[in-house]
Structures are given as C-alpha cells and as structure tokens.
Amino acid sequence: MSHTTPPYCFETTIKVRDYETDSQGIVNNANYLHYLEITRHEFCEEAGTSFAVMQARGLDPVVRKVEIEYLNSLRPGDSMRSCLRFRREGARFVFDQHIFNAATGEPVVRAVVTVVCLEHGRLSRGDMLAEAFEKYL
Amino acid sequence: MSHTTPPYCFETTIKVRDYETDSQGIVNNANYLHYLEITRHEFCEEAGTSFAVMQARGLDPVVRKVEIEYLNSLRPGDSMRSCLRFRREGARFVFDQHIFNAATGEPVVRAVVTVVCLEHGRLSRGDMLAEAFEKYL
Amino acid sequence: MSHTTPPYCFETTIKVRDYETDSQGIVNNANYLHYLEITRHEFCEEAGTSFAVMQARGLDPVVRKVEIEYLNSLRPGDSMRSCLRFRREGARFVFDQHIFNAATGEPVVRAVVTVVCLEHGRLSRGDMLAEAFEKYL
Amino acid sequence: MSHTTPPYCFETTIKVRDYETDSQGIVNNANYLHYLEITRHEFCEEAGTSFAVMQARGLDPVVRKVEIEYLNSLRPGDSMRSCLRFRREGARFVFDQHIFNAATGEPVVRAVVTVVCLEHGRLSRGDMLAEAFEKYL
C-alpha cells in the first residue's frame, strides 16, 4: 500500500517580466509571492469566483503563512508552469504550490501557502470559500 | 528684468532599494513614478492631509498626465533628493518634480505631473485640495 | 487630402494582476510604465531580438522620455489591449503606445516613449536596433 | 536554568508606501519580502559591506528559503520597526526577522529567512560573508 500525491487541480503558465529581475540578473525572491498569488486568483476565477466578487460579499481571504523554498532561478525570457493543489484544514485553506521552468521542467519554487477567510473583518470558518471550491475538495 | 524659477516647496530624501533595479543594473524607469508619488504623498502629509483622509472625505486625487525625462541613472546604494513645487491651473494641480543624485547633485529625473480631483467619482474643481495646499499656493 | 494614422505594428493582451491596484481600487499609475515596457519587449521578441541578446552584444536601449496620459482606469479582473507603433528620429526611437480596455474598447492610456541606445555605455546612432526593427520601419 | 532569546543585532524603521497596498486596503503579502530584504541589506551596509561590493568580489548571497507568518496587517500611513538577528548553520545563514507596527508595537510579521552564498556561481561555505558579519556572530 502506498501513499500517492494528489494531482494538481489547477495550473497556469506565466512569463517572467524583465523588470522582475534584480541586479543579480535573476527574478527577485519577492516576485514569486506575486506568481503564487496570480495562480491562486486565476484558480478562483476558474472555480467561478474572484476576489472582487468575494470582497463584495464581505469575504476577505488573507494569507496567514507562506513557506517557500527557492530551488532554481528564473531569468528574463523564461516562462514558468505554476501548479496548485489545496486542502481544507478546519478554518484554513492550505495550498501546495509548485513552480517549474516551462522549458526545462526543472523545479523552481516549492511553497505551502495558508489562507484564512475574514468575513466582515472576523475570522470565519470559510464555508463560503469552501462552497466555491467544492468540486475540487 | 528676468524670470525667476519659484523655489521648491517640499523636498525629501529617498534611498534606492536594491530590488528596484533591473537586469541593466539601474533603477527601472517605472520606479521613478513611485518615487514621484511618494514625494507628493509626503508633501500632502506635511500639508496636514493624507490620501487616506482625503478618500475618507470622498476626494480622490488621480494622476491625469505625466511627462518625465530620464537624465541620469540611479544604482543600488544611491540616494536621491526629490524636490517638488506646484501650481493650480483651474481644476488641475500641476507638480514640477525634480530628482537629483543626493551624493553628486547630478539631475536624475525631471517630471511634470498633472493631478485632478474626483469627488464622489466626478471631476471636481479641487477646492478641497486647494484648501489643504493653501499656504503653498 | 487627408493624413492617415499609420497602423499599429504590434499589439498584445495583458491582464491586470490584483496586486497592481492600489488603495483607490484602480491600477496604480506606475504600473502602466511596466505594461508599456512589457509591450515593447514582446515586440522586440517578435522582431527576433530580446533585451538579453542586445545586452550580450553590448547594446543597452534606455528610456529617455515618457509622456503618458491616463484616460480611464483599469481595475482587478480587467484585461487590456496594448498597441504600439514607432518611428526613428535620428538616434532616437519614438514609440506611440496606446492601451485600451479589452472588453469595452475604451482608451485607457496614450503614451509616447522615447528610447535611445547605449553601446558599451555611450550614446549610439542605434543602427543595431534599427536593423532588428528593419521590416517595421 | 532558562534559555533566553538572543537580542536583535539590527533594526530599522520603514514607512509603508501607499502603492504597496492592494485592493483589500492592506499591504500586499509580497511586499513584506521586500521589507525583509531591505532590512538585511541595510544590516549588510552597517556591517561594512553591500550587495554591490559582494557581487564585485564574485559573491552572490541568494535566498534559499523563507518561512513567514502574517500576524497583523499594515495600512497606508503606518510605519514598521523591522528587527533582525541571525546565526550561521554550516553553509547557511539563518535570519530571524520580526516586524512590528512602529506606533502600537503589535507584531506584524515573523519570518525565518535562509540565505546561502554562491561564489562564482557555486555553493560556497560562506566564509567571506561570515567574515563580514564576524562581530555579530
């Protein structure tokens, strides 16, 4: 009997923008948090919701924790494949997010991002978000 | 008889952040719009107001036009002296903004930024902003 | 007899990233300089060159001047159509860049961006860049 | 007998820039990685070195891992106190970085950032960096 890793439930391709590199000629570490966010937001859209819609309903998903490992660098001209799967742990939504160099398949970044939901400013159980994500859970 | 340039009514010092440079090793051109904005916002604070306060009163200053010349580059480690003067032209506030290398005095950027005021989403005469800036006009 | 505007020689679609908006809920003015740069760099790639390639050959195109008018705002969820045409004026390359709301066709930004070429750190006539752009001039 | 937490070896004050907030009205999560980087780089300068100097000597410190918890939000107008201590673990430099709201003292972010040193592109033991940080280790 073996454990198998659940498959990704969403992936998207993002191209490095030249201004995202720093004086070391590689993408600056902070930009990967942008890439991870873009991926989560596009996933939300595919799931049929969006941050604008959620905010209009009084729901504010906020990032509580990020653990990110930088494995290989991206440079100007590179594209990445950004993959995501997630699980619910009580009030928290935990996203496993992996970024690969689109050309070489090389792993670039491995991250775990924990999101909680504020509803009208207070921590909620996140049922509204769970509902949006229902078919993926 | 000669024209004299009116003096600056505000100046501040800003240090380049390493991540603001791009792969050419110099500060990316878009970041200068950030520096200009920081300078205007600090000026607002010195004038006794702030964007948060203005927005709470239904006033939204928005940038309508920027003309910016790049004269010399800034690099990691550099600091700049960012200077501002402004005038009112009807509903528009026109800011002359000059940035100099703080160490050498060399001119870095020369910009003219035109700001208009929206009040509850509609173009206003900007009297509320003019009042805040009264002592500088 | 009438003057006709030359057609665009390149256009691309860019989607607003949620983090590019500011506390006013609209895309921050500095980000449009990023959009304009992305468009020029993608155009370079279509023309068969890239900033990395140019830099490897000792050529450094730098922005000398930007005149940008902000006509309408973009918000989270919006996409833009970013269009470009350009002409050579001696050592300078002058880009007319127009951004439209992809959904409504509304004009968002109208900019003129002047680029010069440094070769090994000195202002050049830009023949190397003109060669790359030959079929568009 | 008790363990005591070693004191911070560096701290600096950073003011939120209005453009760093997103449509939720709070500082976007990625910007905290910028704040952490600014703090490390200022610490390097206080220690008598800089990224430019290190790069000129063939030394490239790169971020390998970040663990960051978001405890409270910062908003436009806020300032933060950004504190740092670090230790060497073999080839790795591990920075404990804590950010507090400068006005209220409230904890904002708690992060552990692991940095390794590349020398001429290869992983090094980091002796050059350890030397620079000698008096703090």
Side-chain angles (χ1 to χ4, degrees), chain A residues 14-15 17-20 31 34-35 37-38 41-42 45 51-52 76-77, chain C residues 14-15 17-20 31 34-35 37-38 41-42 45 51-52 76-77:
Chain A
I14 303 171
K15 193 170 188 300
R17 296 174 170 185
D18 285 2
Y19 70 82
E20 294 169 334
N31 286 310
H34 285 318
Y35 300 149
E37 180 179 289
I38 292 165
H41 289 203
E42 287 196 5
E45 289 186 12
F51 268 59
Chain C
I14 304 171
K15 192 171 188 300
R17 296 175 170 184
D18 285 2
Y19 69 82
E20 294 170 335
N31 285 309
H34 286 318
Y35 300 149
E37 180 178 290
I38 292 165
H41 288 205
E42 287 195 6
E45 288 186 14
F51 267 60

Side-chain angles (χ1 to χ4, degrees), chain D residues 4-133:
Chain D
T4 52
T5 307
Y8 298 119
C9 58
F10 181 74
E11 67 175 77
T12 188
T13 300
I14 304 172
K15 193 171 187 300
V16 170
R17 295 175 171 186
D18 285 0
Y19 71 82
E20 294 169 334
T21 59
D22 59 21
S23 60
Q24 295 178 298
I26 55 176
V27 171
N28 182 270
N29 65 80
N31 285 310
Y32 292 95
L33 266 63
H34 285 319
Y35 300 149
L36 298 175
E37 180 178 290
I38 292 165
T39 308
R40 292 193 307 277
H41 289 204
E42 288 196 5
F43 168 63
C44 284
E45 288 185 13
E46 206 199 51
T49 186
S50 77
F51 268 59
V53 164
M54 288 190 271
Q55 284 169 35
R57 293 174 64 186
L59 186 72
D60 240 1
V62 295
V63 172
R64 184 59 86 216
K65 192 177 178 183
V66 176
E67 293 173 80
I68 179 168
E69 283 176 278
Y70 299 91
L71 306 169
N72 285 289
S73 302
L74 289 175
R75 292 169 185 281
D78 286 341
S79 285
M80 73 201 80
R81 192 163 69 87
S82 180
C83 304
L84 164 165
R85 64 176 160 252
F86 78 106
R87 59 186 185 279
R88 190 176 177 186
E89 291 185 355
R92 301 179 305 158
F93 294 82
V94 182
F95 294 82
D96 280 321
Q97 299 197 242
H98 299 166
I99 294 176
F100 303 91
N101 186 310
T104 66
E106 213 176 37
V108 170
V109 146
R110 197 162 47 204
V112 180
V113 180
T114 305
V115 171
V116 296
C117 282
L118 304 184
E119 273 178 47
H120 305 290
R122 312 184 64 155
L123 189 63
S124 82
R125 292 195 53 247
D127 292 337
M128 210 192 287
L129 194 58
E131 202 183 301
F133 290 162

Side-chain angles (χ1 to χ4, degrees), chain C residues 1-131:
Chain C
M1 238 184 88
S2 69
H3 284 286
T4 52
T5 307
Y8 298 120
C9 57
F10 180 73
E11 67 175 76
T12 189
T13 300
I14 304 171
K15 192 171 188 300
V16 170
R17 296 175 170 184
D18 285 2
Y19 69 82
E20 294 170 335
T21 58
D22 58 21
S23 61
Q24 295 178 298
I26 55 175
V27 170
N28 182 270
N29 65 80
N31 285 309
Y32 291 95
L33 266 64
H34 286 318
Y35 300 149
L36 298 176
E37 180 178 290
I38 292 165
T39 308
R40 291 193 309 275
H41 288 205
E42 287 195 6
F43 167 62
C44 284
E45 288 186 14
E46 206 199 50
T49 186
S50 76
F51 267 60
V53 164
M54 289 191 272
Q55 284 168 36
R57 294 173 64 186
L59 186 72
D60 241 0
V62 296
V63 172
R64 185 59 86 217
K65 191 177 177 181
V66 176
E67 292 173 81
I68 179 169
E69 282 176 278
Y70 299 91
L71 306 170
N72 286 288
S73 302
L74 289 175
R75 292 168 185 282
D78 287 341
S79 285
M80 73 201 80
R81 192 163 69 87
S82 180
C83 304
L84 163 165
R85 63 175 161 252
F86 78 107
R87 60 186 185 279
R88 191 176 176 186
E89 292 185 354
R92 302 179 304 157
F93 294 83
V94 182
F95 294 82
D96 279 320
Q97 300 197 242
H98 299 167
I99 293 177
F100 303 92
N101 186 311
T104 65
E106 214 176 36
V108 169
V109 146
R110 198 161 45 204
V112 179
V113 180
T114 305
V115 171
V116 296
C117 281
L118 304 184
E119 274 179 47
H120 304 290
R122 311 184 64 156
L123 189 63
S124 82
R125 292 195 52 246
D127 293 336
M128 209 193 287
L129 195 57
E131 202 182 303

Side-chain angles (χ1 to χ4, degrees), chain B:
Chain B
M1 234 185 91
S2 69
H3 284 286
T4 52
T5 306
Y8 298 119
C9 57
F10 181 72
E11 66 176 77
T12 189
T13 299
I14 304 171
K15 193 170 186 302
V16 170
R17 296 174 170 185
D18 285 2
Y19 69 82
E20 294 170 332
T21 59
D22 59 21
S23 60
Q24 296 179 298
I26 55 176
V27 170
N28 182 270
N29 63 81
N31 285 309
Y32 290 96
L33 266 64
H34 285 319
Y35 300 149
L36 298 175
E37 180 177 290
I38 293 165
T39 308
R40 290 193 308 276
H41 289 203
E42 288 195 5
F43 168 63
C44 284
E45 289 186 12
E46 206 199 52
T49 185
S50 77
F51 267 59
V53 165
M54 288 191 270
Q55 284 169 35
R57 294 173 64 185
L59 186 71
D60 240 1
V62 296
V63 172
R64 184 60 85 216
K65 191 176 177 183
V66 176
E67 293 172 80
I68 179 168
E69 283 175 278
Y70 299 91
L71 305 170
N72 286 288
S73 302
L74 289 174
R75 293 168 185 282
D78 286 342
S79 285
M80 73 201 80
R81 192 164 69 88
S82 180
C83 304
L84 164 165
R85 63 175 161 253
F86 77 106
R87 59 185 186 278
R88 190 176 177 187
E89 292 185 355
R92 301 179 304 157
F93 294 82
V94 182
F95 293 83
D96 280 321
Q97 298 197 244
H98 298 167
I99 294 177
F100 303 92
N101 186 311
T104 66
E106 216 177 33
V108 170
V109 145
R110 198 163 45 205
V112 180
V113 180
T114 305
V115 171
V116 296
C117 281
L118 304 183
E119 274 179 48
H120 305 290
R122 312 183 64 156
L123 188 63
S124 81
R125 292 194 52 246
D127 293 337
M128 210 193 287
L129 194 58
E131 200 182 303
F133 290 161
E134 191 175 20
K135 63 179 166 191
Y136 303 95
L137 279 165

